[in-house]
Every structure is written in structure tokens, then in C-alpha cells.
Amino acid sequence: PDEAIRTNGRSRDLSFAAEHELFTDFALGINLTYRNFFDFNWSRPYYPDTGKALGLNDFVQVGTLPSSVGGVSTGDGAGQPLYLLNADYTPTSYSIEQPRDDYGWNYYGMDIVFKKRMSNKWMINGSFTLQKTAMYYGSNGYESDPTQTWGRDGGASGNREVRWMFKFQGLYQLPWQVNFAWNFFAREGWVIQEWVDIVDFNSPSSRDRGTRAYVGKYGDLRLDPWVWMGLRLEKMIDLFETGRLYFMLSVFNPLNQSTIVGRQNRDIGTYYPHDDSFIPNPRTFQPSEIMTPRKFKIGVRFQF
């Protein structure tokens, strides 16, 4: 093809930062960020005899997703179109790297940062972040097939994307050269995908009978917020003029929380439009991982 192959991904950035000392040793700042990611490539099936790659015109609408399948609601996916490859589709062993026009994502971020320098025996620093990454698609930048486009367009860009987070840490110097320190971190839960698999034996092409339809906008369903805390008590002993010895006792997750930090995606099952049957997925949304339980650590550190 005559199309020039561009570099895989570029970005435009715009940022603003300001900081002001509100009172002695305490400063407050704000950071604003905008980024636009664009100009991507992707690999598409290619047909040397026609000089064309698989495109949007090779898909045809075969119906719409019903409001429920097997008694299970399809949520926001109800009424969304279902696409499969047309009757002329044939597999090919060739592929081509092409510019992926009309596709990219925008990032919007705001950080509020505060810090208190060490004075009067104590210090703190922390930040609160609000952020959003929204993907966008045009007619030439759709998902793997057009069925998924509505669920991804304007949604999150990855399963570990979080829209807010908070960090807070500090230290206080107690008498007898004892330090008490803490570290606190909280963030929004990760994305859980929601879909139903479609298998249509009346599809236009015998080589493409299946697709995956979202039943919720990508990024709308998430794990519970994740909150983590660590505490440390530290005793310092001067070793003449050669250095210092520190004895440390740390505890992680002191409240012994059992927050679920991993789940199976919400794959509700497989729907067969040709006979309106449905096979549910028994493992949908099942927990797969929980937060590490309370843990203690004793340590020694030598400084010279």
C-alpha cells in the first residue's frame, strides 16, 4: 500500500504547576496535566490479491443484544448492535502494519500536594490525585470488531487505571531518640470488565460465528477501594563517633483488612442467538485475591 507507516504513538502535553508556602516550613502545591496520545499503528489482516486490509466494511450487523439472556440482565449493553464478518470473509496468513486513524486517548490529571519540612520534631507530606483517561474511536479506529466500540469509547484505557488516589506519610520524633513513622495510601479499585460471549450459528460467514459484547461501559464496574497502612517505631543508638544503630519494628496492614483486590471478570456466559439459548458462567465475578493480612517485621540498620 501507498500509506506511509507512522511512528507508533505520539503525544501532546500541557501542564501547569504552582506552589506556595502557607506558613513556615509548610507548602501547598497544585499540578494540572493534560495529555493527548495519538498517531498509533496497528496490525490488520491483509489480502495481497486486492491490496486491502480487513476494515469496517467487512463487518455486518447481525442483530442487537437483548435486554436479558437466560434471565440475566445485559445492563447498558441492551440494544447495542452485534457485528460479525460478512459472507465474503476468508482467513489470510498475511498482515500489515497500518496507521490507526481516529483512535487515541486523553489524560486529565490534577494533583494537590502538601509537605511540611522537618522542624519542631515532625514532618509530613502527601498528595491527593484526581485523574481520568478516556479512549476515543472513530470510523477507522474501532476495537477488534465494531461490537465492542460503544463499551470502550470514552471509557478507561486499562484495567489498572484509577481515577483517584491519596498518599500521606510522616514522622514524629519522640523522646529518647525514638521515631514514629507512618505511611497511608488509598486508591480507587481496578476495573472489572463486563461482557457476554455471542456464538451465532446463523452468522453470514461460517468462519466467524462469535463475538464479545459488553454489558457495561468499560471502567464503570470496579473493585472496592484499596486502603493500605504501614507503621514503624525506630530507636536510634549512637555508636561513639563511628555511626548510628537503628532498631526497627514495623507493622503492615495493622487493621488486618481483608479487602478483595482481585476478581474474575464479569463474564456472564455465552448466548446463542440462533436458538435463544444461554449457558451461564459459574465463575463470573468470583474473588481471586485478597489483601495481605497483618504482618510484623523487626529490623536492624547500621549507619556510618
Side-chain angles (χ1 to χ4, degrees):
D2 295 330
E3 296 176 276
I5 304 303
R6 297 193 293 261
T7 303
N8 192 16
R10 294 191 292 173
S11 68
R12 305 182 184 97
D13 296 71
L14 180 64
S15 61
F16 170 82
E19 182 177 283
H20 179 66
E21 188 172 58
L22 297 181
F23 50 85
T24 302
D25 294 331
F26 186 88
L28 183 66
I30 184 170
N31 302 316
L32 303 175
T33 304
Y34 166 76
R35 293 191 181 100
N36 170 232
F37 299 87
F38 66 104
D39 217 2
F40 291 93
N41 293 341
W42 63 347
S43 181
R44 306 299 292 157
Y46 177 65
Y47 300 89
D49 54 336
T50 64
K52 294 182 179 180
L54 187 71
L56 187 63
N57 293 332
D58 295 302
F59 290 88
V60 293
Q61 185 176 342
V62 295
T64 58
L65 189 64
S67 60
S68 66
V69 289
V72 180
S73 171
T74 57
D76 293 337
Q80 295 293 339
L82 303 176
Y83 292 90
L84 291 172
L85 288 165
N86 62 34
D88 296 331
Y89 168 74
T90 57
T92 175
S93 59
Y94 296 92
S95 64
I96 186 172
E97 189 90 356
Q98 288 186 323
R100 190 175 183 181
D101 297 322
D102 302 328
Y103 165 78
W105 63 84
N106 294 318
Y107 171 82
Y108 309 88
M110 179 181 72
D111 302 296
I112 298 175
V113 182
F114 57 92
K115 56 185 175 182
K116 158 68 170 62
R117 290 186 290 271
M118 174 62 77
S119 62
N120 300 319
K121 298 185 177 182
W122 66 283
M123 62 169 288
I124 60 169
N125 64 72
S127 64
F128 177 68
T129 298
L130 290 173
Q131 58 186 7
K132 178 182 179 180
T133 303
M135 303 184 75
Y136 60 85
Y137 296 88
S139 60
N140 295 315
Y142 53 90
E143 258 305 286
S144 54
D145 75 54
T147 302
Q148 287 89 41
T149 300
W150 83 269
R152 300 285 299 200
D153 193 15
S157 64
N159 67 330
R160 296 197 173 189
E161 176 190 317
V162 297
R163 293 171 294 191
W164 62 265
M165 67 178 68
F166 177 69
K167 302 176 184 179
F168 180 58
Q169 58 185 1
L171 181 144
Y172 187 79
Q173 295 178 326
L174 298 167
W176 305 296
Q177 294 184 316
V178 175
N179 295 328
F180 173 69
W182 65 91
N183 195 342
F184 178 85
F185 179 76
R187 60 159 172 79
E188 184 180 37
W190 289 334
V191 173
I192 298 294
Q193 297 190 61
E194 306 176 85
W195 71 71
V196 58
D197 289 314
I198 309 294
V199 177
D200 189 354
F201 288 103
N202 291 331
S203 62
S205 171
S206 62
R207 301 178 185 273
D208 181 37
R209 299 195 185 278
T211 187
R212 176 166 287 173
Y214 282 107
V215 299
K217 194 82 169 180
Y218 184 82
D220 285 355
L221 178 64
R222 294 173 177 266
L223 294 171
D224 292 335
W226 188 79
V227 179
W228 183 90
M229 181 185 299
L231 305 174
R232 187 178 71 186
L233 202 62
E234 180 180 81
K235 165 63 178 174
M236 182 186 72
I237 299 176
D238 288 317
L239 297 179
F240 306 105
E241 296 181 357
T242 60
R244 295 173 177 176
L245 189 64
Y246 294 85
F247 293 94
M248 298 171 290
L249 172 64
S250 301
V251 55
F252 306 100
N253 190 14
L255 301 181
N256 203 29
Q257 299 179 93
S258 55
T259 305
I260 295 174
V261 296
R263 284 185 180 272
Q264 302 290 331
N265 285 315
R266 188 171 174 263
D267 172 10
I268 64 176
T270 304
Y271 174 59
Y272 299 85
H274 66 281
D275 62 2
D276 198 34
S277 61
F278 176 69
I279 299 177
N281 176 10
R283 299 193 62 198
T284 183
F285 207 49
Q286 284 188 349
S288 59
E289 184 181 359
I290 64 171
M291 182 181 292
T292 304
R294 183 190 298 119
K295 182 169 62 176
F296 293 90
K297 184 174 75 172
I298 297 175
V300 178
R301 176 165 59 94
F302 178 62
Q303 181 180 12
F304 61 92

